[in-house]
Amino acid sequence: MSELSHVNQAGEAAMVDVSGKAITTRIAVAEGYVRMRTETLALIQEGGHAKGDGLAVARIAGIQGAKRCPELIPLCHTLLLSKVQVDFDIQLDNKSIRIEALCKLDGKTGVEIEAHNAGAVDPLTPGPYNPPPAATQQEGTCS
């Protein structure tokens, strides 16, 4: 058997068989930051943009990102998520928004990819609702 979990004995890509695993509660949290101009952050914080609340739309996009992983990530299992939560913390001092995405389920496989995907999709969303940032940077960890 191959040492790589998503490669079969012939060296071909393969979905991992989780049928023999026990059902357990699994939780993953991903954190990321999106940096932008101070003026843009202030506008987002005040909720004063004519197109509406960009963070509300970003939250929905993040939740949808977690739910759509099998359509976007090859070999990703379809999961019955019991919770997806996306939270934002506007940090004016370092010109960024901290994004935290939490995914939870009772199942046979983890939810790390779903949490990462939720955290990766939502920073793309505020753009249409707010002036474009001078530069966007995303960095994160999962625990």
Side-chain angles (χ1 to χ4, degrees), residues 14-36:
M15 182 181 265
V16 173
D17 181 1
V18 297
S19 60
K21 289 180 139 188
I23 294 174
T24 58
T25 299
R26 296 158 181 268
I27 300 171
V29 177
E31 175 187 58
Y33 295 84
V34 60
R35 298 179 197 276
M36 61 189 70

Side-chain angles (χ1 to χ4, degrees), residues 12 15 25 29 32 46 66 77-79 84 89 91 98 100 104 106 125 129 141:
E12 303 162 333
M15 182 181 265
T25 299
V29 177
E46 295 164 8
H77 290 88
T78 300
L79 302 179
V84 178
D89 178 27
Q91 299 178 349
R98 180 180 170 274
E100 183 177 288
K104 180 180 178 180
D106 290 327
T125 306
Y129 292 86
T141 58

Side-chain angles (χ1 to χ4, degrees), residues 75-94:
L75 308 176
C76 190
H77 290 88
T78 300
L79 302 179
L80 184 58
L81 297 169
S82 57
K83 180 176 185 168
V84 178
Q85 180 175 325
V86 178
D87 294 311
F88 303 102
D89 178 27
I90 295 174
Q91 299 178 349
L92 292 173
D93 56 329
N94 62 6

Side-chain angles (χ1 to χ4, degrees), residues 7 18 20 41 45 51 55 64 66-67 111 115 117 124 128 131 136:
V7 177
V18 297
L41 279 172
Q45 187 174 38
K51 291 184 181 179
L55 291 183
Q64 284 299 103
K67 293 169 62 175
V111 292
N117 209 43
L124 303 174
T136 300

